């Protein structure tokens, strides 16, 4: 059976192979992702005057300081690294997977799906045991005051070590797309269930990042695993228009989730305009205040060379998150800013922790690492593709948060590590079979064999 966008060549049972296309277009390359959200968000933040900052988000603008200038310069350097390295990762290839590799993909989907859905099931069952009922959910949908807060903080409060594994959904999405391309098995039912759970989590637990990261990683996987780029990014003007549409889609998504979360039961009564203007103000505020808070965080204390704040999961431990810098930042946020908006821009965290020069070097090393992984995708590396789909989320969120130090990213790293170690390499199969990997089969009296 022929799978979409792939060809399957039978070379005799165990030695069958599947050929798929992999495309790294500049629109979803590291440079494209940086230009899609982080750069416009940073430029827009810098363009907002102090008076508007105070009026819209209740905090003064700190974006005229030297630390803000350092953030801009480092962002330009990262963009330059991505642009100069584009010939290393932009392009397409066709990769032939062995039967062992296709089987590995099938098993990976089954195992990751089992862990992910089991975590979701445990989370929902715990909620039911705590008093979560359909009537409570309906009350939340109707915008009744305080219900969303009760659901998030008590009924659906996560349990470390159990619900943490829900984050593997970010890996499951790309794996399902990959299995769809390498076999005739449909992934739509599994994807539908995964997205439904992520939407439930984003709406009732107010974790918008859950759906954002799933959409981003799955969409990028579907774009990479194709023969040619879609018409929406066929030219530079079309790509720019597509980026604008992406911001529009983000606004619609944000407005839908924010309606019951805060608009219907609080801000609408205050007369804060309509839902669209309110959502745009709120959405822009999450990015602008994150950059603003990043400057405040950077100037809270001298650099302490705190590498722990950059390590996945470690940064959220009480010992690290309660450091003197964080305490001073929280005090400044309370005294001279607005604690309602407390995100710290991912561009500022390394600069604050390691100093401007140390942070700049760290971010440049991170940029080079991203280039290397993107190059692996360009050369047809399946593990590299999975890693890139996850890293892409961190690039898109770079202006708002430092995604790579979160607990959710630690779980994903563990999953990626297991997938990387267990992926069957071609060299191993080649030595075992004794044929040249990727060779096209030719007919013989006994059937088909590789030459």
């Amino acid at each position: 059976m022929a799978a979409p966008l792939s060809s399957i060549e039978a070379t005799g049972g165990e030695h069958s192979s599947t050929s798929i296309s992999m495309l790294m277009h500049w629109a979803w390359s590291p440079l494209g992702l940086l230009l899609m959200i982080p750069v416009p968000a940073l430029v827009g933040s810098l363009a907002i005057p102090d008076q508007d900052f105070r009026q819209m988000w209740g905090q003064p603008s700190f974006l005229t300081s030297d630390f803000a200038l350092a953030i801009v310069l480092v962002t330009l350097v990262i963009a330059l690294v991505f642009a100069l390295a584009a010939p290393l990762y932009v392009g397409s290839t066709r990769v032939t997977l062995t039967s062992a590799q296709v089987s590995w993909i099938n098993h990976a989907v089954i195992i990751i799906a089992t862990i992910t859905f089991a975590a979701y099931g445990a989370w929902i069952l715990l909620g039911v045991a705590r008093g979560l009922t359909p009537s409570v959910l309906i009350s939340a949908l109707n915008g009744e005051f305080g219900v969303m807060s009760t659901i998030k903080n008590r009924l659906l409060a996560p349990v470390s070590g159990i619900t943490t594994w829900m984050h593997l959904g970010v890996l499951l999405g790309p794996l399902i797309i990959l299995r769809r391309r390498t076999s005739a098995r449909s992934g739509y039912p599994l994807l539908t269930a995964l997205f439904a759970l992520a939407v439930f989590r984003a709406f009732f637990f107010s974790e918008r990042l859950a759906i954002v990261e799933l959409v981003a990683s799955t969409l990028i996987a579907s774009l990479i695993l194709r023969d040619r780029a879609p018409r929406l990014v066929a030219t530079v003007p079309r790509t720019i228009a597509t980026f604008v549409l992406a911001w529009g889609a983000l606004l619609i998504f944000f407005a839908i989730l924010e309606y019951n979360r805060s608009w219907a039961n609080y801000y609408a009564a205050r007369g804060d305009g309509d839902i669209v203007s309110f959502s745009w103000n709120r959405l822009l505020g999450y990015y602008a205040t994150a950059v603003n808070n990043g400057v405040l965080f950077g100037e809270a204390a001298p650099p302490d060379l705190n590498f722990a704040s950059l390590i996945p999961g470690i940064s959220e431990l009480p010992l690290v998150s309660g450091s003197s810098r964080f305490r001073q930042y929280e005090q400044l946020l309370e005294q001279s800013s607005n604690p309602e908006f407390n995100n710290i821009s991912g561009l500022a965290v390394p600069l604050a922790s390691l100093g401007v020069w140390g942070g700049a070097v760290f971010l440049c090393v991170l940029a080079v690492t991203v280039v290397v992984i993107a190059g692996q995708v360009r050369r047809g590396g399946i593990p590299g593709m999975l890693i890139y789909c996850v890293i892409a989320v961190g690039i898109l969120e770079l202006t708002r948060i430092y995604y790579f130090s979160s607990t959710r990213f630690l779980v994903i790293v563990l999953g990626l590590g297991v997938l990387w170690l267990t992926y069957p390499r071609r060299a191993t199969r080649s030595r075992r079979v004794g044929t040249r990997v990727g060779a096209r089969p030719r007919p013989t009296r006994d059937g088909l064999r590789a030459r």
Side-chain angles (χ1 to χ4, degrees):
M1 299 178 65
L5 299 181
S6 69
S7 62
I8 301 177
E9 301 171 345
T11 59
E14 178 185 5
H15 309 315
S16 62
S17 60
T18 303
S19 179
I20 60 173
S21 295
M22 295 180 68
L23 171 65
M24 180 61 78
H25 188 272
W26 81 266
W28 53 85
S29 72
L31 179 61
L33 297 177
L34 190 70
L35 295 177
M36 183 184 299
I37 290 182
V39 169
L42 178 60
V43 172
S45 302
L46 295 171
I48 300 172
D50 177 78
Q51 181 178 355
D52 291 341
F53 249 99
R54 295 176 184 270
Q55 180 180 354
M56 292 189 293
W57 306 303
Q59 60 177 216
S61 174
F62 308 109
L63 300 181
T64 56
S65 68
D66 292 340
F67 194 86
L69 178 61
I71 292 176
V72 174
L73 293 177
V74 169
T75 305
L76 290 176
V77 171
I78 294 174
L80 182 63
V81 170
F82 286 163
L84 293 177
L88 300 177
Y89 58 74
V90 172
S92 62
T93 188
R94 194 160 186 88
V95 57
T96 301
L97 304 179
T98 66
S99 60
Q101 292 168 334
V102 173
S103 178
W104 176 89
I105 293 170
N106 291 327
H107 286 98
V109 169
I110 293 172
I111 294 172
I112 299 296
T114 300
I115 297 173
T116 303
F117 286 113
Y120 269 108
W123 179 54
I124 294 174
L125 287 175
L126 285 171
V128 172
R130 293 165 177 165
L132 183 67
T133 62
S135 61
V136 173
L137 298 179
I138 292 173
S139 298
L141 290 174
N142 291 332
E144 293 187 17
F145 183 77
V147 177
M148 290 292 289
S149 177
T150 300
I151 293 175
K152 177 181 178 180
N153 298 322
R154 186 170 65 85
L155 301 182
L156 288 179
V159 179
S160 299
I162 298 178
T163 55
T164 307
W165 298 100
M166 294 188 298
H167 303 316
L168 287 179
V170 183
L171 274 178
L172 181 57
L175 277 169
I176 294 173
I177 298 298
L178 181 60
R179 187 179 69 170
R180 171 67 177 166
R181 295 295 192 265
T182 56
S183 69
R185 304 180 63 176
S186 174
Y188 295 124
L190 203 58
L191 266 181
T192 301
L194 181 62
F195 271 90
L197 288 170
V199 169
F200 176 88
R201 183 170 151 204
F203 189 88
F204 291 107
F205 190 63
S206 300
E207 193 176 356
R208 287 180 287 259
L209 184 56
I211 189 67
V212 169
E213 61 185 1
L214 179 58
V215 169
S217 63
T218 306
L219 179 60
I220 289 174
S222 65
L223 290 170
I224 290 174
L225 295 169
R226 57 186 298 134
D227 294 309
R228 61 182 64 88
R231 297 181 63 181
L232 286 174
V233 293
T235 62
V236 173
R238 287 186 178 183
T239 303
I240 295 174
T242 300
F243 286 1
V244 174
L245 289 175
W247 274 96
L250 185 61
L251 174 61
I252 294 172
F253 161 77
F254 189 85
I256 293 173
L257 293 183
E258 198 69 25
Y259 183 83
N260 287 81
R261 181 175 182 263
S262 62
W263 167 258
N265 55 32
Y266 182 71
Y267 288 101
R270 291 177 44 178
D272 289 351
D274 54 66
I275 181 62
V276 176
S277 59
F278 166 78
S279 299
W280 174 247
N281 180 297
R282 197 80 170 175
L283 176 63
L284 181 61
Y286 277 114
Y287 288 98
T289 59
V291 178
N292 203 37
N293 291 340
V295 176
L296 189 65
F297 178 69
E299 297 178 341
D304 52 5
L305 300 181
N306 184 12
F307 279 95
S309 62
L310 306 174
I311 300 174
I314 303 298
S315 63
E316 298 181 12
L317 294 177
L319 182 63
V320 179
S321 60
S323 65
S324 59
R325 172 180 291 281
F326 276 93
R327 289 196 298 271
Q328 291 184 43
Y329 163 71
E330 290 173 348
Q331 291 174 1
L332 289 173
L333 198 63
E334 187 74 34
Q335 295 170 0
S336 53
S337 189
N338 184 357
E340 181 182 1
F341 297 95
N342 55 12
N343 283 335
I344 303 173
S345 173
L347 293 166
V349 173
L351 303 182
S353 301
L354 307 180
V356 171
W357 287 105
V361 171
F362 178 87
L363 287 172
C364 286
V365 171
L366 180 62
V368 172
T369 303
V370 172
V371 167
V372 172
I373 295 171
Q376 290 290 321
V377 179
R378 165 66 179 82
R379 290 188 289 274
I382 297 300
M385 187 214 74
L386 296 173
I387 295 173
Y388 181 77
C389 290
V390 174
I391 286 181
V393 179
I395 299 175
L396 290 171
E397 290 283 359
L398 193 57
T399 308
R400 194 175 68 89
I401 59 173
Y402 190 73
Y403 180 78
F404 303 119
S405 67
S406 61
T407 300
R408 66 197 313 125
F409 189 68
L410 174 61
V411 173
I412 297 168
V413 167
L414 293 175
L416 286 170
V418 173
L419 294 175
W420 178 275
L421 293 174
T422 58
Y423 183 72
R425 264 57 180 185
R426 294 186 177 192
T428 302
R429 179 185 181 276
S430 178
R431 288 193 297 269
R432 177 170 60 86
V433 177
T435 59
R436 181 163 60 88
V437 175
R440 295 188 61 82
R442 64 180 181 184
T444 67
R445 292 181 180 178
D446 299 324
L448 297 175
R449 65 178 176 84
R451 59 183 179 182

